[in-house]
Amino acid sequence: MTGIAGLNRKHNHVLVIRDADVVASALRAALAEASPEERPGLERAVALVESTAQATEAKLRADWTRARLAAVGFTGDLSSVAATKALRQAEPKLSLLAAVQLQKEALTQPE
């Protein structure tokens, strides 16, 4: 997730779009037809996609929040006002309410 489409100061809904099931299906199809040399890599890819597909939406939003903070160089306390400010600098269309909600969710999710 590189951004949150449709998010603005009037809308605080965060939509997580998941396509891991489509990717996993394509990888399984490729694995079914793979040569012996290709199988180990494809098996590893399938395992990675399936483990990612099991992540909750809250976990995905928390990971996105941490990634956006890292992108602007924020290394401080995630529960701080500075973190909220940095998140809003990273995503200028993010409302204060949405930023606080994402910040709180990131605090409750393990890294």
Side-chain angles (χ1 to χ4, degrees), residues 37-76:
E37 297 82 26
E38 295 175 316
R39 289 192 69 76
L42 285 170
E43 288 170 348
R44 177 71 177 134
V46 168
L48 285 171
V49 169
E50 287 177 345
S51 70
T52 302
Q54 294 173 7
T56 64
E57 289 185 9
K59 173 73 170 130
L60 294 174
R61 284 189 296 269
D63 290 347
W64 179 86
T65 300
R66 288 187 191 99
R68 297 307 301 138
L69 288 170
V72 293
F74 182 79
T75 58

PDB file of all heavy atoms in Angstrom, residues 37-76:
ATOM      1  N   GLU A  37      13.646 -27.109 -11.369  1.00  0.00           N
ATOM      2  CA  GLU A  37      14.549 -26.021 -10.988  1.00  0.00           C
ATOM      3  C   GLU A  37      13.778 -24.803 -10.464  1.00  0.00           C
ATOM      4  O   GLU A  37      14.265 -24.073  -9.607  1.00  0.00           O
ATOM      5  CB  GLU A  37      15.418 -25.582 -12.184  1.00  0.00           C
ATOM      6  CG  GLU A  37      16.348 -26.643 -12.721  1.00  0.00           C
ATOM      7  CD  GLU A  37      15.649 -27.611 -13.682  1.00  0.00           C
ATOM      8  OE1 GLU A  37      14.642 -27.229 -14.309  1.00  0.00           O
ATOM      9  OE2 GLU A  37      16.108 -28.760 -13.781  1.00  0.00           O
ATOM     10  N   GLU A  38      12.594 -24.591 -10.989  1.00  0.00           N
ATOM     11  CA  GLU A  38      11.788 -23.428 -10.597  1.00  0.00           C
ATOM     12  C   GLU A  38      10.989 -23.653  -9.314  1.00  0.00           C
ATOM     13  O   GLU A  38      10.621 -22.702  -8.635  1.00  0.00           O
ATOM     14  CB  GLU A  38      10.803 -23.073 -11.714  1.00  0.00           C
ATOM     15  CG  GLU A  38      11.436 -22.610 -12.996  1.00  0.00           C
ATOM     16  CD  GLU A  38      10.413 -22.404 -14.094  1.00  0.00           C
ATOM     17  OE1 GLU A  38       9.517 -23.259 -14.256  1.00  0.00           O
ATOM     18  OE2 GLU A  38      10.530 -21.374 -14.767  1.00  0.00           O
ATOM     19  N   ARG A  39      10.727 -24.910  -8.982  1.00  0.00           N
ATOM     20  CA  ARG A  39       9.841 -25.242  -7.867  1.00  0.00           C
ATOM     21  C   ARG A  39      10.255 -24.629  -6.524  1.00  0.00           C
ATOM     22  O   ARG A  39       9.405 -24.047  -5.847  1.00  0.00           O
ATOM     23  CB  ARG A  39       9.681 -26.751  -7.729  1.00  0.00           C
ATOM     24  CG  ARG A  39       8.843 -27.353  -8.862  1.00  0.00           C
ATOM     25  CD  ARG A  39       8.439 -28.785  -8.584  1.00  0.00           C
ATOM     26  NE  ARG A  39       7.485 -28.927  -7.501  1.00  0.00           N
ATOM     27  CZ  ARG A  39       6.184 -28.643  -7.586  1.00  0.00           C
ATOM     28  NH1 ARG A  39       5.693 -28.189  -8.708  1.00  0.00           N
ATOM     29  NH2 ARG A  39       5.394 -28.818  -6.568  1.00  0.00           N
ATOM     30  N   PRO A  40      11.513 -24.731  -6.099  1.00  0.00           N
ATOM     31  CA  PRO A  40      11.854 -24.186  -4.772  1.00  0.00           C
ATOM     32  C   PRO A  40      11.533 -22.696  -4.631  1.00  0.00           C
ATOM     33  O   PRO A  40      10.972 -22.275  -3.618  1.00  0.00           O
ATOM     34  CB  PRO A  40      13.356 -24.446  -4.649  1.00  0.00           C
ATOM     35  CG  PRO A  40      13.619 -25.586  -5.569  1.00  0.00           C
ATOM     36  CD  PRO A  40      12.662 -25.408  -6.702  1.00  0.00           C
ATOM     37  N   GLY A  41      11.858 -21.919  -5.640  1.00  0.00           N
ATOM     38  CA  GLY A  41      11.578 -20.486  -5.583  1.00  0.00           C
ATOM     39  C   GLY A  41      10.094 -20.184  -5.570  1.00  0.00           C
ATOM     40  O   GLY A  41       9.627 -19.332  -4.813  1.00  0.00           O
ATOM     41  N   LEU A  42       9.345 -20.895  -6.397  1.00  0.00           N
ATOM     42  CA  LEU A  42       7.899 -20.682  -6.434  1.00  0.00           C
ATOM     43  C   LEU A  42       7.233 -21.156  -5.145  1.00  0.00           C
ATOM     44  O   LEU A  42       6.291 -20.525  -4.659  1.00  0.00           O
ATOM     45  CB  LEU A  42       7.288 -21.380  -7.645  1.00  0.00           C
ATOM     46  CG  LEU A  42       7.527 -20.686  -8.977  1.00  0.00           C
ATOM     47  CD1 LEU A  42       7.098 -21.584 -10.134  1.00  0.00           C
ATOM     48  CD2 LEU A  42       6.786 -19.361  -9.032  1.00  0.00           C
ATOM     49  N   GLU A  43       7.714 -22.244  -4.576  1.00  0.00           N
ATOM     50  CA  GLU A  43       7.163 -22.723  -3.304  1.00  0.00           C
ATOM     51  C   GLU A  43       7.380 -21.685  -2.206  1.00  0.00           C
ATOM     52  O   GLU A  43       6.490 -21.424  -1.392  1.00  0.00           O
ATOM     53  CB  GLU A  43       7.782 -24.061  -2.917  1.00  0.00           C
ATOM     54  CG  GLU A  43       7.289 -25.218  -3.776  1.00  0.00           C
ATOM     55  CD  GLU A  43       8.068 -26.506  -3.569  1.00  0.00           C
ATOM     56  OE1 GLU A  43       9.140 -26.483  -2.929  1.00  0.00           O
ATOM     57  OE2 GLU A  43       7.602 -27.547  -4.075  1.00  0.00           O
ATOM     58  N   ARG A  44       8.553 -21.078  -2.194  1.00  0.00           N
ATOM     59  CA  ARG A  44       8.851 -20.029  -1.210  1.00  0.00           C
ATOM     60  C   ARG A  44       7.960 -18.812  -1.449  1.00  0.00           C
ATOM     61  O   ARG A  44       7.438 -18.220  -0.509  1.00  0.00           O
ATOM     62  CB  ARG A  44      10.336 -19.640  -1.299  1.00  0.00           C
ATOM     63  CG  ARG A  44      10.739 -18.527  -0.378  1.00  0.00           C
ATOM     64  CD  ARG A  44      10.741 -18.976   1.073  1.00  0.00           C
ATOM     65  NE  ARG A  44      11.201 -17.893   1.900  1.00  0.00           N
ATOM     66  CZ  ARG A  44      10.623 -17.521   3.023  1.00  0.00           C
ATOM     67  NH1 ARG A  44       9.599 -18.189   3.492  1.00  0.00           N
ATOM     68  NH2 ARG A  44      11.076 -16.509   3.711  1.00  0.00           N
ATOM     69  N   ALA A  45       7.766 -18.451  -2.699  1.00  0.00           N
ATOM     70  CA  ALA A  45       6.911 -17.310  -3.027  1.00  0.00           C
ATOM     71  C   ALA A  45       5.472 -17.555  -2.584  1.00  0.00           C
ATOM     72  O   ALA A  45       4.822 -16.672  -2.018  1.00  0.00           O
ATOM     73  CB  ALA A  45       6.978 -17.019  -4.524  1.00  0.00           C
ATOM     74  N   VAL A  46       4.959 -18.748  -2.832  1.00  0.00           N
ATOM     75  CA  VAL A  46       3.597 -19.097  -2.411  1.00  0.00           C
ATOM     76  C   VAL A  46       3.481 -18.992  -0.892  1.00  0.00           C
ATOM     77  O   VAL A  46       2.518 -18.423  -0.365  1.00  0.00           O
ATOM     78  CB  VAL A  46       3.192 -20.509  -2.890  1.00  0.00           C
ATOM     79  CG1 VAL A  46       1.917 -20.983  -2.215  1.00  0.00           C
ATOM     80  CG2 VAL A  46       3.032 -20.523  -4.405  1.00  0.00           C
ATOM     81  N   ALA A  47       4.463 -19.511  -0.175  1.00  0.00           N
ATOM     82  CA  ALA A  47       4.433 -19.455   1.289  1.00  0.00           C
ATOM     83  C   ALA A  47       4.437 -18.010   1.789  1.00  0.00           C
ATOM     84  O   ALA A  47       3.695 -17.666   2.723  1.00  0.00           O
ATOM     85  CB  ALA A  47       5.623 -20.221   1.860  1.00  0.00           C
ATOM     86  N   LEU A  48       5.240 -17.161   1.179  1.00  0.00           N
ATOM     87  CA  LEU A  48       5.292 -15.749   1.585  1.00  0.00           C
ATOM     88  C   LEU A  48       3.971 -15.038   1.329  1.00  0.00           C
ATOM     89  O   LEU A  48       3.465 -14.302   2.188  1.00  0.00           O
ATOM     90  CB  LEU A  48       6.424 -15.024   0.845  1.00  0.00           C
ATOM     91  CG  LEU A  48       7.831 -15.326   1.318  1.00  0.00           C
ATOM     92  CD1 LEU A  48       8.856 -14.731   0.372  1.00  0.00           C
ATOM     93  CD2 LEU A  48       8.037 -14.788   2.729  1.00  0.00           C
ATOM     94  N   VAL A  49       3.399 -15.257   0.160  1.00  0.00           N
ATOM     95  CA  VAL A  49       2.130 -14.604  -0.175  1.00  0.00           C
ATOM     96  C   VAL A  49       1.023 -15.098   0.747  1.00  0.00           C
ATOM     97  O   VAL A  49       0.215 -14.309   1.240  1.00  0.00           O
ATOM     98  CB  VAL A  49       1.770 -14.826  -1.659  1.00  0.00           C
ATOM     99  CG1 VAL A  49       0.346 -14.398  -1.959  1.00  0.00           C
ATOM    100  CG2 VAL A  49       2.739 -14.084  -2.553  1.00  0.00           C
ATOM    101  N   GLU A  50       0.986 -16.384   1.005  1.00  0.00           N
ATOM    102  CA  GLU A  50      -0.061 -16.917   1.877  1.00  0.00           C
ATOM    103  C   GLU A  50       0.081 -16.405   3.305  1.00  0.00           C
ATOM    104  O   GLU A  50      -0.918 -16.121   3.962  1.00  0.00           O
ATOM    105  CB  GLU A  50      -0.055 -18.442   1.827  1.00  0.00           C
ATOM    106  CG  GLU A  50      -0.618 -18.956   0.507  1.00  0.00           C
ATOM    107  CD  GLU A  50      -0.566 -20.463   0.366  1.00  0.00           C
ATOM    108  OE1 GLU A  50       0.148 -21.130   1.143  1.00  0.00           O
ATOM    109  OE2 GLU A  50      -1.237 -20.972  -0.552  1.00  0.00           O
ATOM    110  N   SER A  51       1.307 -16.237   3.785  1.00  0.00           N
ATOM    111  CA  SER A  51       1.483 -15.699   5.139  1.00  0.00           C
ATOM    112  C   SER A  51       1.078 -14.228   5.196  1.00  0.00           C
ATOM    113  O   SER A  51       0.505 -13.775   6.178  1.00  0.00           O
ATOM    114  CB  SER A  51       2.918 -15.879   5.625  1.00  0.00           C
ATOM    115  OG  SER A  51       3.804 -15.040   4.913  1.00  0.00           O
ATOM    116  N   THR A  52       1.345 -13.500   4.141  1.00  0.00           N
ATOM    117  CA  THR A  52       0.943 -12.100   4.071  1.00  0.00           C
ATOM    118  C   THR A  52      -0.573 -11.979   3.969  1.00  0.00           C
ATOM    119  O   THR A  52      -1.175 -11.075   4.552  1.00  0.00           O
ATOM    120  CB  THR A  52       1.605 -11.402   2.864  1.00  0.00           C
ATOM    121  OG1 THR A  52       3.021 -11.517   3.005  1.00  0.00           O
ATOM    122  CG2 THR A  52       1.229  -9.949   2.771  1.00  0.00           C
ATOM    123  N   ALA A  53      -1.199 -12.876   3.261  1.00  0.00           N
ATOM    124  CA  ALA A  53      -2.648 -12.845   3.092  1.00  0.00           C
ATOM    125  C   ALA A  53      -3.375 -13.041   4.409  1.00  0.00           C
ATOM    126  O   ALA A  53      -4.524 -12.619   4.559  1.00  0.00           O
ATOM    127  CB  ALA A  53      -3.083 -13.912   2.087  1.00  0.00           C
ATOM    128  N   GLN A  54      -2.722 -13.639   5.382  1.00  0.00           N
ATOM    129  CA  GLN A  54      -3.343 -13.880   6.674  1.00  0.00           C
ATOM    130  C   GLN A  54      -3.309 -12.654   7.582  1.00  0.00           C
ATOM    131  O   GLN A  54      -3.953 -12.639   8.623  1.00  0.00           O
ATOM    132  CB  GLN A  54      -2.657 -15.053   7.366  1.00  0.00           C
ATOM    133  CG  GLN A  54      -2.858 -16.364   6.636  1.00  0.00           C
ATOM    134  CD  GLN A  54      -2.036 -17.495   7.240  1.00  0.00           C
ATOM    135  OE1 GLN A  54      -1.407 -17.336   8.274  1.00  0.00           O
ATOM    136  NE2 GLN A  54      -2.034 -18.632   6.578  1.00  0.00           N
ATOM    137  N   ALA A  55      -2.584 -11.619   7.190  1.00  0.00           N
ATOM    138  CA  ALA A  55      -2.502 -10.406   8.003  1.00  0.00           C
ATOM    139  C   ALA A  55      -3.862  -9.722   8.067  1.00  0.00           C
ATOM    140  O   ALA A  55      -4.588  -9.659   7.079  1.00  0.00           O
ATOM    141  CB  ALA A  55      -1.465  -9.450   7.418  1.00  0.00           C
ATOM    142  N   THR A  56      -4.201  -9.202   9.231  1.00  0.00           N
ATOM    143  CA  THR A  56      -5.470  -8.494   9.395  1.00  0.00           C
ATOM    144  C   THR A  56      -5.380  -7.110   8.765  1.00  0.00           C
ATOM    145  O   THR A  56      -4.286  -6.589   8.521  1.00  0.00           O
ATOM    146  CB  THR A  56      -5.810  -8.331  10.884  1.00  0.00           C
ATOM    147  OG1 THR A  56      -4.814  -7.499  11.498  1.00  0.00           O
ATOM    148  CG2 THR A  56      -5.889  -9.681  11.598  1.00  0.00           C
ATOM    149  N   GLU A  57      -6.530  -6.502   8.533  1.00  0.00           N
ATOM    150  CA  GLU A  57      -6.539  -5.147   7.995  1.00  0.00           C
ATOM    151  C   GLU A  57      -5.879  -4.180   8.972  1.00  0.00           C
ATOM    152  O   GLU A  57      -5.180  -3.259   8.561  1.00  0.00           O
ATOM    153  CB  GLU A  57      -7.969  -4.712   7.675  1.00  0.00           C
ATOM    154  CG  GLU A  57      -8.541  -5.425   6.478  1.00  0.00           C
ATOM    155  CD  GLU A  57      -9.913  -4.904   6.075  1.00  0.00           C
ATOM    156  OE1 GLU A  57     -10.359  -3.867   6.615  1.00  0.00           O
ATOM    157  OE2 GLU A  57     -10.533  -5.535   5.206  1.00  0.00           O
ATOM    158  N   ALA A  58      -6.087  -4.392  10.262  1.00  0.00           N
ATOM    159  CA  ALA A  58      -5.453  -3.534  11.264  1.00  0.00           C
ATOM    160  C   ALA A  58      -3.931  -3.630  11.168  1.00  0.00           C
ATOM    161  O   ALA A  58      -3.231  -2.619  11.258  1.00  0.00           O
ATOM    162  CB  ALA A  58      -5.925  -3.926  12.664  1.00  0.00           C
ATOM    163  N   LYS A  59      -3.431  -4.818  10.971  1.00  0.00           N
ATOM    164  CA  LYS A  59      -1.982  -5.021  10.836  1.00  0.00           C
ATOM    165  C   LYS A  59      -1.468  -4.324   9.574  1.00  0.00           C
ATOM    166  O   LYS A  59      -0.406  -3.682   9.596  1.00  0.00           O
ATOM    167  CB  LYS A  59      -1.671  -6.518  10.799  1.00  0.00           C
ATOM    168  CG  LYS A  59      -0.233  -6.870  10.502  1.00  0.00           C
ATOM    169  CD  LYS A  59       0.689  -6.585  11.672  1.00  0.00           C
ATOM    170  CE  LYS A  59       2.061  -7.198  11.403  1.00  0.00           C
ATOM    171  NZ  LYS A  59       3.120  -6.243  11.608  1.00  0.00           N
ATOM    172  N   LEU A  60      -2.197  -4.439   8.484  1.00  0.00           N
ATOM    173  CA  LEU A  60      -1.781  -3.785   7.241  1.00  0.00           C
ATOM    174  C   LEU A  60      -1.771  -2.270   7.395  1.00  0.00           C
ATOM    175  O   LEU A  60      -0.848  -1.596   6.933  1.00  0.00           O
ATOM    176  CB  LEU A  60      -2.688  -4.204   6.088  1.00  0.00           C
ATOM    177  CG  LEU A  60      -2.612  -5.676   5.682  1.00  0.00           C
ATOM    178  CD1 LEU A  60      -3.668  -5.989   4.637  1.00  0.00           C
ATOM    179  CD2 LEU A  60      -1.228  -6.024   5.173  1.00  0.00           C
ATOM    180  N   ARG A  61      -2.796  -1.714   8.057  1.00  0.00           N
ATOM    181  CA  ARG A  61      -2.820  -0.262   8.280  1.00  0.00           C
ATOM    182  C   ARG A  61      -1.687   0.166   9.201  1.00  0.00           C
ATOM    183  O   ARG A  61      -1.055   1.197   8.978  1.00  0.00           O
ATOM    184  CB  ARG A  61      -4.173   0.175   8.848  1.00  0.00           C
ATOM    185  CG  ARG A  61      -5.279   0.216   7.811  1.00  0.00           C
ATOM    186  CD  ARG A  61      -6.537   0.872   8.366  1.00  0.00           C
ATOM    187  NE  ARG A  61      -7.116   0.107   9.457  1.00  0.00           N
ATOM    188  CZ  ARG A  61      -8.038  -0.848   9.308  1.00  0.00           C
ATOM    189  NH1 ARG A  61      -8.488  -1.147   8.094  1.00  0.00           N
ATOM    190  NH2 ARG A  61      -8.515  -1.491  10.342  1.00  0.00           N
ATOM    191  N   ALA A  62      -1.399  -0.636  10.226  1.00  0.00           N
ATOM    192  CA  ALA A  62      -0.301  -0.312  11.140  1.00  0.00           C
ATOM    193  C   ALA A  62       1.039  -0.347  10.406  1.00  0.00           C
ATOM    194  O   ALA A  62       1.880   0.547  10.595  1.00  0.00           O
ATOM    195  CB  ALA A  62      -0.292  -1.298  12.317  1.00  0.00           C
ATOM    196  N   ASP A  63       1.234  -1.334   9.571  1.00  0.00           N
ATOM    197  CA  ASP A  63       2.471  -1.419   8.783  1.00  0.00           C
ATOM    198  C   ASP A  63       2.590  -0.232   7.836  1.00  0.00           C
ATOM    199  O   ASP A  63       3.670   0.338   7.662  1.00  0.00           O
ATOM    200  CB  ASP A  63       2.523  -2.726   7.989  1.00  0.00           C
ATOM    201  CG  ASP A  63       2.708  -3.953   8.866  1.00  0.00           C
ATOM    202  OD1 ASP A  63       3.045  -3.801  10.064  1.00  0.00           O
ATOM    203  OD2 ASP A  63       2.501  -5.066   8.352  1.00  0.00           O
ATOM    204  N   TRP A  64       1.470   0.155   7.224  1.00  0.00           N
ATOM    205  CA  TRP A  64       1.472   1.303   6.318  1.00  0.00           C
ATOM    206  C   TRP A  64       1.837   2.572   7.080  1.00  0.00           C
ATOM    207  O   TRP A  64       2.641   3.384   6.626  1.00  0.00           O
ATOM    208  CB  TRP A  64       0.096   1.453   5.656  1.00  0.00           C
ATOM    209  CG  TRP A  64       0.015   2.625   4.737  1.00  0.00           C
ATOM    210  CD1 TRP A  64       0.371   2.662   3.423  1.00  0.00           C
ATOM    211  CD2 TRP A  64      -0.449   3.943   5.063  1.00  0.00           C
ATOM    212  NE1 TRP A  64       0.152   3.922   2.913  1.00  0.00           N
ATOM    213  CE2 TRP A  64      -0.346   4.718   3.898  1.00  0.00           C
ATOM    214  CE3 TRP A  64      -0.945   4.525   6.231  1.00  0.00           C
ATOM    215  CZ2 TRP A  64      -0.720   6.060   3.864  1.00  0.00           C
ATOM    216  CZ3 TRP A  64      -1.319   5.861   6.194  1.00  0.00           C
ATOM    217  CH2 TRP A  64      -1.203   6.609   5.019  1.00  0.00           C
ATOM    218  N   THR A  65       1.251   2.730   8.264  1.00  0.00           N
ATOM    219  CA  THR A  65       1.520   3.913   9.090  1.00  0.00           C
ATOM    220  C   THR A  65       2.999   3.980   9.444  1.00  0.00           C
ATOM    221  O   THR A  65       3.634   5.029   9.305  1.00  0.00           O
ATOM    222  CB  THR A  65       0.659   3.887  10.362  1.00  0.00           C
ATOM    223  OG1 THR A  65      -0.722   3.871   9.985  1.00  0.00           O
ATOM    224  CG2 THR A  65       0.938   5.080  11.250  1.00  0.00           C
ATOM    225  N   ARG A  66       3.555   2.873   9.894  1.00  0.00           N
ATOM    226  CA  ARG A  66       4.985   2.848  10.237  1.00  0.00           C
ATOM    227  C   ARG A  66       5.868   3.128   9.016  1.00  0.00           C
ATOM    228  O   ARG A  66       6.875   3.823   9.113  1.00  0.00           O
ATOM    229  CB  ARG A  66       5.354   1.499  10.846  1.00  0.00           C
ATOM    230  CG  ARG A  66       4.814   1.301  12.240  1.00  0.00           C
ATOM    231  CD  ARG A  66       5.351   0.007  12.868  1.00  0.00           C
ATOM    232  NE  ARG A  66       4.642  -0.279  14.074  1.00  0.00           N
ATOM    233  CZ  ARG A  66       3.632  -1.147  14.177  1.00  0.00           C
ATOM    234  NH1 ARG A  66       3.229  -1.831  13.126  1.00  0.00           N
ATOM    235  NH2 ARG A  66       3.033  -1.339  15.333  1.00  0.00           N
ATOM    236  N   ALA A  67       5.471   2.593   7.873  1.00  0.00           N
ATOM    237  CA  ALA A  67       6.240   2.822   6.647  1.00  0.00           C
ATOM    238  C   ALA A  67       6.199   4.289   6.239  1.00  0.00           C
ATOM    239  O   ALA A  67       7.216   4.847   5.802  1.00  0.00           O
ATOM    240  CB  ALA A  67       5.705   1.943   5.505  1.00  0.00           C
ATOM    241  N   ARG A  68       5.040   4.920   6.368  1.00  0.00           N
ATOM    242  CA  ARG A  68       4.938   6.347   6.020  1.00  0.00           C
ATOM    243  C   ARG A  68       5.779   7.181   6.973  1.00  0.00           C
ATOM    244  O   ARG A  68       6.419   8.136   6.559  1.00  0.00           O
ATOM    245  CB  ARG A  68       3.473   6.819   6.053  1.00  0.00           C
ATOM    246  CG  ARG A  68       2.566   6.130   5.051  1.00  0.00           C
ATOM    247  CD  ARG A  68       3.083   6.166   3.608  1.00  0.00           C
ATOM    248  NE  ARG A  68       3.243   7.534   3.162  1.00  0.00           N
ATOM    249  CZ  ARG A  68       4.282   7.974   2.447  1.00  0.00           C
ATOM    250  NH1 ARG A  68       5.230   7.151   2.072  1.00  0.00           N
ATOM    251  NH2 ARG A  68       4.355   9.228   2.092  1.00  0.00           N
ATOM    252  N   LEU A  69       5.775   6.841   8.259  1.00  0.00           N
ATOM    253  CA  LEU A  69       6.604   7.568   9.228  1.00  0.00           C
ATOM    254  C   LEU A  69       8.084   7.384   8.914  1.00  0.00           C
ATOM    255  O   LEU A  69       8.856   8.342   8.964  1.00  0.00           O
ATOM    256  CB  LEU A  69       6.287   7.117  10.658  1.00  0.00           C
ATOM    257  CG  LEU A  69       4.940   7.574  11.202  1.00  0.00           C
ATOM    258  CD1 LEU A  69       4.627   6.886  12.516  1.00  0.00           C
ATOM    259  CD2 LEU A  69       4.902   9.087  11.358  1.00  0.00           C
ATOM    260  N   ALA A  70       8.467   6.174   8.575  1.00  0.00           N
ATOM    261  CA  ALA A  70       9.868   5.909   8.223  1.00  0.00           C
ATOM    262  C   ALA A  70      10.262   6.677   6.966  1.00  0.00           C
ATOM    263  O   ALA A  70      11.396   7.161   6.857  1.00  0.00           O
ATOM    264  CB  ALA A  70      10.088   4.410   8.030  1.00  0.00           C
ATOM    265  N   ALA A  71       9.333   6.808   6.031  1.00  0.00           N
ATOM    266  CA  ALA A  71       9.626   7.495   4.769  1.00  0.00           C
ATOM    267  C   ALA A  71       9.959   8.970   4.978  1.00  0.00           C
ATOM    268  O   ALA A  71      10.709   9.551   4.197  1.00  0.00           O
ATOM    269  CB  ALA A  71       8.451   7.358   3.808  1.00  0.00           C
ATOM    270  N   VAL A  72       9.404   9.571   6.029  1.00  0.00           N
ATOM    271  CA  VAL A  72       9.732  10.974   6.315  1.00  0.00           C
ATOM    272  C   VAL A  72      10.815  11.091   7.378  1.00  0.00           C
ATOM    273  O   VAL A  72      11.094  12.169   7.879  1.00  0.00           O
ATOM    274  CB  VAL A  72       8.480  11.793   6.722  1.00  0.00           C
ATOM    275  CG1 VAL A  72       7.520  11.933   5.563  1.00  0.00           C
ATOM    276  CG2 VAL A  72       7.807  11.228   7.941  1.00  0.00           C
ATOM    277  N   GLY A  73      11.431   9.964   7.723  1.00  0.00           N
ATOM    278  CA  GLY A  73      12.555   9.977   8.650  1.00  0.00           C
ATOM    279  C   GLY A  73      12.182  10.056  10.118  1.00  0.00           C
ATOM    280  O   GLY A  73      13.033  10.341  10.964  1.00  0.00           O
ATOM    281  N   PHE A  74      10.939   9.781  10.453  1.00  0.00           N
ATOM    282  CA  PHE A  74      10.526   9.835  11.858  1.00  0.00           C
ATOM    283  C   PHE A  74      11.039   8.604  12.597  1.00  0.00           C
ATOM    284  O   PHE A  74      10.790   7.476  12.176  1.00  0.00           O
ATOM    285  CB  PHE A  74       8.999   9.909  11.984  1.00  0.00           C
ATOM    286  CG  PHE A  74       8.539  10.010  13.411  1.00  0.00           C
ATOM    287  CD1 PHE A  74       8.593  11.216  14.075  1.00  0.00           C
ATOM    288  CD2 PHE A  74       8.083   8.895  14.088  1.00  0.00           C
ATOM    289  CE1 PHE A  74       8.191  11.315  15.401  1.00  0.00           C
ATOM    290  CE2 PHE A  74       7.682   8.975  15.402  1.00  0.00           C
ATOM    291  CZ  PHE A  74       7.730  10.196  16.065  1.00  0.00           C
ATOM    292  N   THR A  75      11.753   8.828  13.689  1.00  0.00           N
ATOM    293  CA  THR A  75      12.294   7.721  14.480  1.00  0.00           C
ATOM    294  C   THR A  75      11.920   7.829  15.957  1.00  0.00           C
ATOM    295  O   THR A  75      12.403   7.065  16.770  1.00  0.00           O
ATOM    296  CB  THR A  75      13.835   7.666  14.368  1.00  0.00           C
ATOM    297  OG1 THR A  75      14.371   8.915  14.817  1.00  0.00           O
ATOM    298  CG2 THR A  75      14.275   7.390  12.942  1.00  0.00           C
ATOM    299  N   GLY A  76      11.053   8.762  16.281  1.00  0.00           N
ATOM    300  CA  GLY A  76      10.685   8.984  17.673  1.00  0.00           C
ATOM    301  C   GLY A  76       9.616   8.047  18.186  1.00  0.00           C
ATOM    302  O   GLY A  76       9.341   6.988  17.607  1.00  0.00           O
TER     303      GLY A  76
END
